[in-house]
Amino acid sequence: MERQLERRKEPEPVEMSRQTEEQWARREEEKKRLASLPHVIQHDDIPWVQMSQAFYKGFTGVGIKGRLTRLPLFSMTLSAQILNPGSKSGKHRHFNEAILYIVEGEGYSIHDDIKYTCEAGDIVCVPTYTIHQHFNASPSKEVKVFFSTPSPVFELAGLSYHEQIEMHPKYRIPEGVTPLQNDKGQFIGYKDKDGKEYRISEVDTQSQSLFQGRRGVESPVVIKNTYDHYLNELVEESRWHRSLLHVVKQKERPWEDTRMGRMKYLAHWPTIPSGLRLFDSFIQEIPPGGRSGKHRHVSEEVHFILEGKGYDIHDGTRWDWQKESIVCIPVNTTHQHFNTDPSRPARFLSFQSRFYHYLGHGGIEHMEDAPK
């Protein structure tokens, strides 16, 4: 044994990795940032700015770099848009799906050349990689929209870019820049004073051919081996895309008396077959002076207060809200909602991320029923 030990090689020196310490440091830094962010912000505290689609309010930062700047959200971006009377948004598409709630006004959306009418109270479901544009049908009234996309999730997957096909009619390029046009005289971007060019993205023809091919497939694949399951998935996805519900009419959805309170579901996969897989959505009403049930879930949730005033309790902390407040419920937070008005009900719109469901963290832990 001694001779064998003598013949063994000396162990090579090991370079110590600092990865573990860096992970710990990032976790602690992120926890501090989360704790410093408010759970409620006011609609009027965020200014309207010009974007390529419309005039816009961004309640969360854009993409991964902008997350955790205004609200403690990881899986959703939240915005509002306004369309002037008789106007329209820019035309574009992106890999991420989007959910839009019509706060005021009426109009229609065109998705892949199909027209869908909508009015206040409806949600518009924009499926993944759909060319879409929104129109205000009124010559005298504005359309206001509150919407969400799962942009940070798609940015992590390398699918964050979008293809801008047409700018909105009121779009104005910055002062002092030179507009750029293609050979057809169409605006494609501009050049700044230093000669740097900013171009709107071009249509991805390679992805276009895949999606157009998918939507043209009719025949199911005969499953003979494991690989055929993937071919059949393309066929089934094609059929699903053609059967989607792109607009959910709130007035057609029933109210339900649940342990959490009075709720009206607008999007819920798979019981409401809309074009959304990453969002649930509902309207909840809290009676005068009343309260909701109490529960928690891993999925992040956001409320847009439609009527009334009150407060939430999140993990023991009170957050007051009023009409047009945006209320954020972070991951795995115990929460309950209270209406402080003794004579009028409060109502809010909810968007809840289903991203966590696909990671194996779906469902709700219920703690207290709403009063009957």
Side-chain angles (χ1 to χ4, degrees), residues 167-199:
M167 311 297 275
H168 74 88
K170 298 284 187 179
Y171 180 79
R172 296 292 180 267
I173 63 175
E175 294 183 5
V177 303
T178 303
L180 300 174
Q181 297 180 335
N182 60 17
D183 54 4
K184 297 180 181 180
Q186 298 170 323
F187 173 79
I188 59 172
Y190 55 83
K191 183 187 297 184
D192 67 15
K193 297 177 182 178
D194 298 326
K196 186 174 181 179
E197 293 186 357
Y198 298 87
R199 293 174 176 262

Side-chain angles (χ1 to χ4, degrees), residues 56 58-64 66-79 96-99 146-156 278-281 297-304 326-331 349-356:
Y56 153 103
F59 303 114
T60 54
V62 177
I64 295 298
R67 70 185 176 90
L68 300 184
T69 54
R70 285 181 178 161
L71 287 170
L73 287 176
F74 288 88
S75 63
M76 291 186 277
T77 60
L78 302 170
S79 307
N96 52 288
E97 66 187 36
I99 180 171
F146 180 74
F147 73 98
S148 181
T149 63
S151 295
V153 177
F154 278 75
E155 187 166 335
L156 283 171
L278 292 178
F279 288 102
D280 285 339
S281 179
H297 38 73
V298 174
S299 296
E300 294 173 329
E301 187 175 352
V302 168
H303 297 165
F304 182 71
I326 293 90
V327 183
C328 172
I329 301 169
V331 168
L349 166 75
S350 170
F351 289 159
Q352 185 172 326
S353 171
R354 288 191 59 83
F355 171 71
Y356 301 88

Side-chain angles (χ1 to χ4, degrees), residues 267-285:
H268 178 262
W269 178 260
T271 58
I272 304 175
S274 71
L276 302 172
R277 282 178 167 162
L278 292 178
F279 288 102
D280 285 339
S281 179
F282 59 84
I283 303 292
Q284 181 159 358
E285 181 177 281

